[in-house]
Amino acid sequence: ISLRPLSVYENLCDTGVGKSSIVWRFVEDSFDPNINPTIGASFMTKTVQYQNELHKFLIWDTAGQERFRALAPMYYRGSAAAVIVYDITKEETFSTLKNWVKELRQHGPPNIVVAIAGNKCDLIDVREVMERDAKDYADSIHAIFVETSAKNAININELFIEISRRIPSADASPPSGGKGFKLRRQPSEPQRSCC
């Protein structure tokens, strides 16, 4: 079994949709209803087995506030996947999601795996975003779609399993084609004495 690090950017979305709660549920399998808003960015990891590989998810959880938006490209540029979260009880978060997708498509890696998560599916009685509409949109952009509840642990692991499925295996990855370089230690010069 080989270990494969997968960088995941998990916060192209508005504040308060439950981004950090999804990450916390996935990594720690717990839920804190009083979780503090992310300031800047946080980083968490979790290793899971997928087929004959161990996938080590390196998850960048960035703040959703507008003032932190300029930081987003630093995190998603090198990512294998991006999770874009909206709150099913707030239509405006789904509308904003489409702007985040557009930005990611314009400035992100060309073959980044995109996942759309409609969080808070436990609040079905106050739903504003219809599941069919979100699924149709995700299909139109070839994205993973899942409705989640970080609070009730619904579809959290399934979200990341589907990301693992969509990321090409290490064997299928093309060779670097000369991109990059090797670092080599230069031989040290012999010590010289001055006199």
Side-chain angles (χ1 to χ4, degrees):
I1 293 179
S2 63
L3 178 64
R4 184 165 178 218
L6 302 174
S7 182
V8 176
Y9 179 67
E10 204 269 340
N11 282 356
L12 287 163
C13 38
D14 288 344
T15 190
V17 297
K19 305 173 297 286
S20 298
S21 293
I22 288 174
V23 174
W24 194 252
R25 175 59 79 178
F26 176 62
V27 174
E28 298 292 335
D29 195 25
S30 67
F31 177 78
D32 179 359
N34 301 312
I35 196 167
N36 290 322
T38 305
I39 309 269
S42 69
F43 178 75
M44 297 182 87
T45 66
K46 181 173 180 173
T47 302
V48 297
Q49 185 165 348
Y50 179 73
Q51 294 181 345
N52 64 342
E53 295 181 329
L54 288 176
H55 286 182
K56 183 173 186 178
F57 285 94
L58 311 171
I59 305 168
W60 288 101
D61 175 17
T62 59
Q65 295 96 335
E66 182 65 31
R67 66 181 178 216
F68 295 111
R69 189 173 184 152
L71 298 176
M74 284 189 328
Y75 298 100
Y76 65 66
R77 279 196 188 122
S79 295
V83 179
I84 308 171
V85 183
Y86 71 95
D87 178 344
I88 71 156
T89 70
K90 296 181 180 168
E91 176 69 40
E92 68 272 10
T93 64
F94 184 67
S95 298
T96 303
L97 168 142
K98 294 174 182 178
N99 294 330
W100 283 108
V101 168
K102 183 188 253 182
E103 179 178 320
L104 182 63
R105 294 293 191 210
Q106 288 174 347
H107 304 292
N111 26 350
I112 191 168
V113 173
V114 176
I116 294 175
N119 197 32
K120 304 184 184 181
C121 70
D122 53 297
L123 301 176
I124 199 97
D125 53 326
V126 289
R127 173 189 290 277
E128 289 185 7
V129 181
M130 294 298 107
E131 183 176 10
R132 178 84 263 160
D133 295 341
K135 171 91 172 89
D136 288 347
Y137 176 71
D139 288 346
S140 77
I141 63 165
H142 310 290
I144 296 165
F145 172 74
V146 65
E147 285 198 340
T148 60
S149 170
K151 180 179 181 181
N152 294 337
I154 298 170
N155 289 334
I156 302 298
N157 289 332
E158 290 79 359
L159 170 64
F160 289 91
I161 288 168
E162 189 57 32
I163 289 170
S164 284
R165 259 191 213 116
R166 294 267 187 111
I167 292 175
S169 71
D171 298 338
S173 298
S176 64
K179 295 178 183 171
F181 53 91
K182 289 185 179 180
L183 295 176
R184 285 185 230 113
R185 183 180 296 267
Q186 294 291 330
S188 59
E189 292 187 27
Q191 293 285 336
R192 295 182 188 187
S193 57
C194 67
C195 304

PDB file of all heavy atoms in Angstrom, residues 10 18-33 35 42-46 59 61 150-151 156-157 160:
ATOM      1  N   GLU A  10     -10.909  23.424   1.071  1.00  0.00           N
ATOM      2  CA  GLU A  10     -12.283  23.211   1.494  1.00  0.00           C
ATOM      3  C   GLU A  10     -12.963  24.511   1.876  1.00  0.00           C
ATOM      4  O   GLU A  10     -13.543  24.570   2.902  1.00  0.00           O
ATOM      5  CB  GLU A  10     -12.277  22.241   2.685  1.00  0.00           C
ATOM      6  CG  GLU A  10     -13.549  21.510   2.876  1.00  0.00           C
ATOM      7  CD  GLU A  10     -14.527  22.178   3.780  1.00  0.00           C
ATOM      8  OE1 GLU A  10     -14.167  23.024   4.581  1.00  0.00           O
ATOM      9  OE2 GLU A  10     -15.697  21.850   3.635  1.00  0.00           O
ATOM     10  N   GLY A  18     -21.002  26.046   7.426  1.00  0.00           N
ATOM     11  CA  GLY A  18     -20.614  24.799   8.066  1.00  0.00           C
ATOM     12  C   GLY A  18     -19.367  24.151   7.495  1.00  0.00           C
ATOM     13  O   GLY A  18     -19.146  22.958   7.670  1.00  0.00           O
ATOM     14  N   LYS A  19     -18.517  24.945   6.837  1.00  0.00           N
ATOM     15  CA  LYS A  19     -17.295  24.417   6.232  1.00  0.00           C
ATOM     16  C   LYS A  19     -16.400  23.758   7.276  1.00  0.00           C
ATOM     17  O   LYS A  19     -15.998  22.615   7.136  1.00  0.00           O
ATOM     18  CB  LYS A  19     -16.504  25.540   5.553  1.00  0.00           C
ATOM     19  CG  LYS A  19     -17.262  26.336   4.539  1.00  0.00           C
ATOM     20  CD  LYS A  19     -16.467  27.526   4.039  1.00  0.00           C
ATOM     21  CE  LYS A  19     -16.120  28.574   5.056  1.00  0.00           C
ATOM     22  NZ  LYS A  19     -17.209  29.435   5.486  1.00  0.00           N
ATOM     23  N   SER A  20     -16.097  24.498   8.323  1.00  0.00           N
ATOM     24  CA  SER A  20     -15.207  23.980   9.362  1.00  0.00           C
ATOM     25  C   SER A  20     -15.830  22.794  10.079  1.00  0.00           C
ATOM     26  O   SER A  20     -15.130  21.855  10.463  1.00  0.00           O
ATOM     27  CB  SER A  20     -14.869  25.079  10.370  1.00  0.00           C
ATOM     28  OG  SER A  20     -14.181  26.122   9.723  1.00  0.00           O
ATOM     29  N   SER A  21     -17.136  22.813  10.237  1.00  0.00           N
ATOM     30  CA  SER A  21     -17.813  21.690  10.889  1.00  0.00           C
ATOM     31  C   SER A  21     -17.704  20.419  10.054  1.00  0.00           C
ATOM     32  O   SER A  21     -17.565  19.315  10.602  1.00  0.00           O
ATOM     33  CB  SER A  21     -19.286  22.029  11.142  1.00  0.00           C
ATOM     34  OG  SER A  21     -19.391  23.059  12.104  1.00  0.00           O
ATOM     35  N   ILE A  22     -17.752  20.548   8.744  1.00  0.00           N
ATOM     36  CA  ILE A  22     -17.584  19.387   7.861  1.00  0.00           C
ATOM     37  C   ILE A  22     -16.176  18.820   8.027  1.00  0.00           C
ATOM     38  O   ILE A  22     -16.000  17.613   8.185  1.00  0.00           O
ATOM     39  CB  ILE A  22     -17.866  19.746   6.388  1.00  0.00           C
ATOM     40  CG1 ILE A  22     -19.367  19.965   6.185  1.00  0.00           C
ATOM     41  CG2 ILE A  22     -17.331  18.674   5.437  1.00  0.00           C
ATOM     42  CD1 ILE A  22     -19.749  20.468   4.807  1.00  0.00           C
ATOM     43  N   VAL A  23     -15.169  19.691   8.008  1.00  0.00           N
ATOM     44  CA  VAL A  23     -13.789  19.235   8.171  1.00  0.00           C
ATOM     45  C   VAL A  23     -13.609  18.584   9.543  1.00  0.00           C
ATOM     46  O   VAL A  23     -13.024  17.503   9.662  1.00  0.00           O
ATOM     47  CB  VAL A  23     -12.784  20.396   7.983  1.00  0.00           C
ATOM     48  CG1 VAL A  23     -11.372  19.943   8.302  1.00  0.00           C
ATOM     49  CG2 VAL A  23     -12.852  20.945   6.570  1.00  0.00           C
ATOM     50  N   TRP A  24     -14.103  19.229  10.581  1.00  0.00           N
ATOM     51  CA  TRP A  24     -13.970  18.725  11.940  1.00  0.00           C
ATOM     52  C   TRP A  24     -14.652  17.358  12.074  1.00  0.00           C
ATOM     53  O   TRP A  24     -14.120  16.443  12.692  1.00  0.00           O
ATOM     54  CB  TRP A  24     -14.553  19.737  12.916  1.00  0.00           C
ATOM     55  CG  TRP A  24     -14.179  19.461  14.339  1.00  0.00           C
ATOM     56  CD1 TRP A  24     -14.997  19.000  15.320  1.00  0.00           C
ATOM     57  CD2 TRP A  24     -12.900  19.618  14.943  1.00  0.00           C
ATOM     58  NE1 TRP A  24     -14.311  18.859  16.488  1.00  0.00           N
ATOM     59  CE2 TRP A  24     -13.014  19.242  16.294  1.00  0.00           C
ATOM     60  CE3 TRP A  24     -11.654  20.045  14.465  1.00  0.00           C
ATOM     61  CZ2 TRP A  24     -11.939  19.262  17.175  1.00  0.00           C
ATOM     62  CZ3 TRP A  24     -10.592  20.073  15.359  1.00  0.00           C
ATOM     63  CH2 TRP A  24     -10.738  19.687  16.687  1.00  0.00           C
ATOM     64  N   ARG A  25     -15.838  17.217  11.474  1.00  0.00           N
ATOM     65  CA  ARG A  25     -16.559  15.933  11.520  1.00  0.00           C
ATOM     66  C   ARG A  25     -15.753  14.854  10.796  1.00  0.00           C
ATOM     67  O   ARG A  25     -15.633  13.734  11.272  1.00  0.00           O
ATOM     68  CB  ARG A  25     -17.947  16.075  10.910  1.00  0.00           C
ATOM     69  CG  ARG A  25     -18.729  14.795  10.809  1.00  0.00           C
ATOM     70  CD  ARG A  25     -18.976  14.090  12.123  1.00  0.00           C
ATOM     71  NE  ARG A  25     -20.065  14.702  12.844  1.00  0.00           N
ATOM     72  CZ  ARG A  25     -20.521  14.260  14.013  1.00  0.00           C
ATOM     73  NH1 ARG A  25     -19.979  13.201  14.581  1.00  0.00           N
ATOM     74  NH2 ARG A  25     -21.497  14.879  14.627  1.00  0.00           N
ATOM     75  N   PHE A  26     -15.188  15.180   9.641  1.00  0.00           N
ATOM     76  CA  PHE A  26     -14.414  14.212   8.876  1.00  0.00           C
ATOM     77  C   PHE A  26     -13.148  13.797   9.621  1.00  0.00           C
ATOM     78  O   PHE A  26     -12.851  12.610   9.746  1.00  0.00           O
ATOM     79  CB  PHE A  26     -14.058  14.785   7.498  1.00  0.00           C
ATOM     80  CG  PHE A  26     -13.184  13.885   6.667  1.00  0.00           C
ATOM     81  CD1 PHE A  26     -13.622  12.626   6.267  1.00  0.00           C
ATOM     82  CD2 PHE A  26     -11.927  14.298   6.269  1.00  0.00           C
ATOM     83  CE1 PHE A  26     -12.817  11.803   5.490  1.00  0.00           C
ATOM     84  CE2 PHE A  26     -11.117  13.474   5.498  1.00  0.00           C
ATOM     85  CZ  PHE A  26     -11.559  12.229   5.109  1.00  0.00           C
ATOM     86  N   VAL A  27     -12.411  14.759  10.138  1.00  0.00           N
ATOM     87  CA  VAL A  27     -11.116  14.471  10.759  1.00  0.00           C
ATOM     88  C   VAL A  27     -11.263  13.929  12.181  1.00  0.00           C
ATOM     89  O   VAL A  27     -10.613  12.952  12.551  1.00  0.00           O
ATOM     90  CB  VAL A  27     -10.208  15.730  10.736  1.00  0.00           C
ATOM     91  CG1 VAL A  27      -8.916  15.501  11.504  1.00  0.00           C
ATOM     92  CG2 VAL A  27      -9.909  16.130   9.291  1.00  0.00           C
ATOM     93  N   GLU A  28     -12.105  14.561  12.978  1.00  0.00           N
ATOM     94  CA  GLU A  28     -12.218  14.205  14.401  1.00  0.00           C
ATOM     95  C   GLU A  28     -13.480  13.421  14.746  1.00  0.00           C
ATOM     96  O   GLU A  28     -13.641  13.001  15.889  1.00  0.00           O
ATOM     97  CB  GLU A  28     -12.171  15.478  15.259  1.00  0.00           C
ATOM     98  CG  GLU A  28     -10.876  16.263  15.131  1.00  0.00           C
ATOM     99  CD  GLU A  28      -9.681  15.535  15.729  1.00  0.00           C
ATOM    100  OE1 GLU A  28      -9.867  14.692  16.631  1.00  0.00           O
ATOM    101  OE2 GLU A  28      -8.547  15.815  15.296  1.00  0.00           O
ATOM    102  N   ASP A  29     -14.394  13.280  13.799  1.00  0.00           N
ATOM    103  CA  ASP A  29     -15.688  12.630  14.011  1.00  0.00           C
ATOM    104  C   ASP A  29     -16.428  13.208  15.214  1.00  0.00           C
ATOM    105  O   ASP A  29     -16.949  12.484  16.068  1.00  0.00           O
ATOM    106  CB  ASP A  29     -15.557  11.111  14.146  1.00  0.00           C
ATOM    107  CG  ASP A  29     -16.920  10.421  14.007  1.00  0.00           C
ATOM    108  OD1 ASP A  29     -17.823  11.003  13.373  1.00  0.00           O
ATOM    109  OD2 ASP A  29     -17.083   9.304  14.539  1.00  0.00           O
ATOM    110  N   SER A  30     -16.460  14.529  15.270  1.00  0.00           N
ATOM    111  CA  SER A  30     -17.225  15.195  16.323  1.00  0.00           C
ATOM    112  C   SER A  30     -17.831  16.478  15.768  1.00  0.00           C
ATOM    113  O   SER A  30     -17.476  16.930  14.677  1.00  0.00           O
ATOM    114  CB  SER A  30     -16.347  15.478  17.545  1.00  0.00           C
ATOM    115  OG  SER A  30     -15.361  16.430  17.236  1.00  0.00           O
ATOM    116  N   PHE A  31     -18.745  17.038  16.534  1.00  0.00           N
ATOM    117  CA  PHE A  31     -19.437  18.256  16.119  1.00  0.00           C
ATOM    118  C   PHE A  31     -19.510  19.202  17.305  1.00  0.00           C
ATOM    119  O   PHE A  31     -19.857  18.797  18.414  1.00  0.00           O
ATOM    120  CB  PHE A  31     -20.858  17.929  15.637  1.00  0.00           C
ATOM    121  CG  PHE A  31     -21.657  19.150  15.257  1.00  0.00           C
ATOM    122  CD1 PHE A  31     -21.449  19.788  14.044  1.00  0.00           C
ATOM    123  CD2 PHE A  31     -22.608  19.672  16.130  1.00  0.00           C
ATOM    124  CE1 PHE A  31     -22.175  20.916  13.698  1.00  0.00           C
ATOM    125  CE2 PHE A  31     -23.340  20.793  15.786  1.00  0.00           C
ATOM    126  CZ  PHE A  31     -23.123  21.425  14.561  1.00  0.00           C
ATOM    127  N   ASP A  32     -19.163  20.455  17.074  1.00  0.00           N
ATOM    128  CA  ASP A  32     -19.236  21.481  18.109  1.00  0.00           C
ATOM    129  C   ASP A  32     -20.181  22.568  17.610  1.00  0.00           C
ATOM    130  O   ASP A  32     -19.846  23.300  16.678  1.00  0.00           O
ATOM    131  CB  ASP A  32     -17.850  22.070  18.373  1.00  0.00           C
ATOM    132  CG  ASP A  32     -17.847  23.180  19.423  1.00  0.00           C
ATOM    133  OD1 ASP A  32     -18.929  23.524  19.952  1.00  0.00           O
ATOM    134  OD2 ASP A  32     -16.755  23.695  19.718  1.00  0.00           O
ATOM    135  N   PRO A  33     -21.370  22.699  18.208  1.00  0.00           N
ATOM    136  CA  PRO A  33     -22.319  23.711  17.730  1.00  0.00           C
ATOM    137  C   PRO A  33     -21.824  25.140  17.959  1.00  0.00           C
ATOM    138  O   PRO A  33     -22.326  26.072  17.349  1.00  0.00           O
ATOM    139  CB  PRO A  33     -23.585  23.439  18.549  1.00  0.00           C
ATOM    140  CG  PRO A  33     -23.110  22.715  19.750  1.00  0.00           C
ATOM    141  CD  PRO A  33     -21.883  21.948  19.346  1.00  0.00           C
ATOM    142  N   ILE A  35     -18.598  26.152  17.395  1.00  0.00           N
ATOM    143  CA  ILE A  35     -17.277  26.273  16.757  1.00  0.00           C
ATOM    144  C   ILE A  35     -17.033  27.735  16.367  1.00  0.00           C
ATOM    145  O   ILE A  35     -17.935  28.426  15.895  1.00  0.00           O
ATOM    146  CB  ILE A  35     -17.167  25.331  15.542  1.00  0.00           C
ATOM    147  CG1 ILE A  35     -15.718  25.156  15.108  1.00  0.00           C
ATOM    148  CG2 ILE A  35     -18.033  25.786  14.394  1.00  0.00           C
ATOM    149  CD1 ILE A  35     -15.506  24.002  14.125  1.00  0.00           C
ATOM    150  N   SER A  42      -7.029  27.313   8.549  1.00  0.00           N
ATOM    151  CA  SER A  42      -6.572  26.242   9.435  1.00  0.00           C
ATOM    152  C   SER A  42      -6.238  25.044   8.560  1.00  0.00           C
ATOM    153  O   SER A  42      -6.658  24.964   7.399  1.00  0.00           O
ATOM    154  CB  SER A  42      -7.626  25.893  10.485  1.00  0.00           C
ATOM    155  OG  SER A  42      -8.742  25.273   9.891  1.00  0.00           O
ATOM    156  N   PHE A  43      -5.483  24.138   9.122  1.00  0.00           N
ATOM    157  CA  PHE A  43      -5.003  22.994   8.359  1.00  0.00           C
ATOM    158  C   PHE A  43      -5.214  21.729   9.177  1.00  0.00           C
ATOM    159  O   PHE A  43      -4.867  21.684  10.359  1.00  0.00           O
ATOM    160  CB  PHE A  43      -3.513  23.184   8.055  1.00  0.00           C
ATOM    161  CG  PHE A  43      -2.884  22.042   7.310  1.00  0.00           C
ATOM    162  CD1 PHE A  43      -3.121  21.861   5.961  1.00  0.00           C
ATOM    163  CD2 PHE A  43      -2.046  21.150   7.964  1.00  0.00           C
ATOM    164  CE1 PHE A  43      -2.540  20.812   5.265  1.00  0.00           C
ATOM    165  CE2 PHE A  43      -1.454  20.104   7.283  1.00  0.00           C
ATOM    166  CZ  PHE A  43      -1.699  19.940   5.932  1.00  0.00           C
ATOM    167  N   MET A  44      -5.807  20.704   8.561  1.00  0.00           N
ATOM    168  CA  MET A  44      -6.016  19.421   9.229  1.00  0.00           C
ATOM    169  C   MET A  44      -5.699  18.301   8.238  1.00  0.00           C
ATOM    170  O   MET A  44      -5.765  18.511   7.020  1.00  0.00           O
ATOM    171  CB  MET A  44      -7.455  19.293   9.727  1.00  0.00           C
ATOM    172  CG  MET A  44      -7.822  20.334  10.769  1.00  0.00           C
ATOM    173  SD  MET A  44      -9.491  20.132  11.389  1.00  0.00           S
ATOM    174  CE  MET A  44      -9.174  18.966  12.708  1.00  0.00           C
ATOM    175  N   THR A  45      -5.374  17.133   8.787  1.00  0.00           N
ATOM    176  CA  THR A  45      -5.085  15.994   7.930  1.00  0.00           C
ATOM    177  C   THR A  45      -5.844  14.763   8.418  1.00  0.00           C
ATOM    178  O   THR A  45      -6.176  14.642   9.597  1.00  0.00           O
ATOM    179  CB  THR A  45      -3.577  15.633   7.921  1.00  0.00           C
ATOM    180  OG1 THR A  45      -3.197  15.177   9.215  1.00  0.00           O
ATOM    181  CG2 THR A  45      -2.730  16.814   7.501  1.00  0.00           C
ATOM    182  N   LYS A  46      -6.112  13.881   7.485  1.00  0.00           N
ATOM    183  CA  LYS A  46      -6.676  12.575   7.812  1.00  0.00           C
ATOM    184  C   LYS A  46      -6.272  11.602   6.716  1.00  0.00           C
ATOM    185  O   LYS A  46      -6.359  11.920   5.531  1.00  0.00           O
ATOM    186  CB  LYS A  46      -8.194  12.617   7.921  1.00  0.00           C
ATOM    187  CG  LYS A  46      -8.775  11.241   8.297  1.00  0.00           C
ATOM    188  CD  LYS A  46     -10.245  11.277   8.582  1.00  0.00           C
ATOM    189  CE  LYS A  46     -10.728   9.878   8.949  1.00  0.00           C
ATOM    190  NZ  LYS A  46     -12.117   9.912   9.402  1.00  0.00           N
ATOM    191  N   ILE A  59      -6.030  19.098   4.316  1.00  0.00           N
ATOM    192  CA  ILE A  59      -7.206  19.950   4.129  1.00  0.00           C
ATOM    193  C   ILE A  59      -6.944  21.372   4.618  1.00  0.00           C
ATOM    194  O   ILE A  59      -6.673  21.596   5.802  1.00  0.00           O
ATOM    195  CB  ILE A  59      -8.430  19.355   4.870  1.00  0.00           C
ATOM    196  CG1 ILE A  59      -8.663  17.915   4.406  1.00  0.00           C
ATOM    197  CG2 ILE A  59      -9.662  20.222   4.635  1.00  0.00           C
ATOM    198  CD1 ILE A  59      -9.649  17.144   5.266  1.00  0.00           C
ATOM    199  N   ASP A  61      -8.648  24.711   5.371  1.00  0.00           N
ATOM    200  CA  ASP A  61      -9.962  25.246   5.720  1.00  0.00           C
ATOM    201  C   ASP A  61      -9.788  26.753   5.882  1.00  0.00           C
ATOM    202  O   ASP A  61      -9.192  27.201   6.852  1.00  0.00           O
ATOM    203  CB  ASP A  61     -10.425  24.578   7.018  1.00  0.00           C
ATOM    204  CG  ASP A  61     -11.724  25.141   7.547  1.00  0.00           C
ATOM    205  OD1 ASP A  61     -12.452  25.812   6.798  1.00  0.00           O
ATOM    206  OD2 ASP A  61     -12.013  24.906   8.737  1.00  0.00           O
ATOM    207  N   ALA A 150     -23.031  18.014   8.980  1.00  0.00           N
ATOM    208  CA  ALA A 150     -21.903  17.841   9.891  1.00  0.00           C
ATOM    209  C   ALA A 150     -22.430  17.519  11.288  1.00  0.00           C
ATOM    210  O   ALA A 150     -21.852  16.712  12.008  1.00  0.00           O
ATOM    211  CB  ALA A 150     -21.046  19.103   9.909  1.00  0.00           C
ATOM    212  N   LYS A 151     -23.562  18.101  11.644  1.00  0.00           N
ATOM    213  CA  LYS A 151     -24.150  17.881  12.966  1.00  0.00           C
ATOM    214  C   LYS A 151     -24.503  16.412  13.178  1.00  0.00           C
ATOM    215  O   LYS A 151     -24.199  15.827  14.212  1.00  0.00           O
ATOM    216  CB  LYS A 151     -25.403  18.751  13.123  1.00  0.00           C
ATOM    217  CG  LYS A 151     -26.087  18.608  14.455  1.00  0.00           C
ATOM    218  CD  LYS A 151     -27.291  19.527  14.536  1.00  0.00           C
ATOM    219  CE  LYS A 151     -27.982  19.414  15.879  1.00  0.00           C
ATOM    220  NZ  LYS A 151     -29.163  20.307  15.931  1.00  0.00           N
ATOM    221  N   ILE A 156     -20.684  12.759   5.292  1.00  0.00           N
ATOM    222  CA  ILE A 156     -19.370  13.416   5.402  1.00  0.00           C
ATOM    223  C   ILE A 156     -18.281  12.508   4.839  1.00  0.00           C
ATOM    224  O   ILE A 156     -17.531  12.912   3.953  1.00  0.00           O
ATOM    225  CB  ILE A 156     -19.061  13.810   6.867  1.00  0.00           C
ATOM    226  CG1 ILE A 156     -20.148  14.743   7.431  1.00  0.00           C
ATOM    227  CG2 ILE A 156     -17.662  14.411   6.962  1.00  0.00           C
ATOM    228  CD1 ILE A 156     -20.294  16.069   6.728  1.00  0.00           C
ATOM    229  N   ASN A 157     -18.208  11.282   5.331  1.00  0.00           N
ATOM    230  CA  ASN A 157     -17.197  10.348   4.807  1.00  0.00           C
ATOM    231  C   ASN A 157     -17.435  10.061   3.335  1.00  0.00           C
ATOM    232  O   ASN A 157     -16.480   9.937   2.556  1.00  0.00           O
ATOM    233  CB  ASN A 157     -17.178   9.056   5.622  1.00  0.00           C
ATOM    234  CG  ASN A 157     -16.585   9.267   6.998  1.00  0.00           C
ATOM    235  OD1 ASN A 157     -15.750  10.140   7.205  1.00  0.00           O
ATOM    236  ND2 ASN A 157     -17.038   8.472   7.952  1.00  0.00           N
ATOM    237  N   PHE A 160     -15.751  12.546   0.981  1.00  0.00           N
ATOM    238  CA  PHE A 160     -14.314  12.368   0.781  1.00  0.00           C
ATOM    239  C   PHE A 160     -13.992  11.061   0.054  1.00  0.00           C
ATOM    240  O   PHE A 160     -13.019  10.995  -0.701  1.00  0.00           O
ATOM    241  CB  PHE A 160     -13.581  12.501   2.118  1.00  0.00           C
ATOM    242  CG  PHE A 160     -13.571  13.920   2.610  1.00  0.00           C
ATOM    243  CD1 PHE A 160     -14.573  14.390   3.440  1.00  0.00           C
ATOM    244  CD2 PHE A 160     -12.581  14.796   2.198  1.00  0.00           C
ATOM    245  CE1 PHE A 160     -14.587  15.715   3.872  1.00  0.00           C
ATOM    246  CE2 PHE A 160     -12.586  16.118   2.621  1.00  0.00           C
ATOM    247  CZ  PHE A 160     -13.593  16.578   3.450  1.00  0.00           C
TER     248      PHE A 160
END
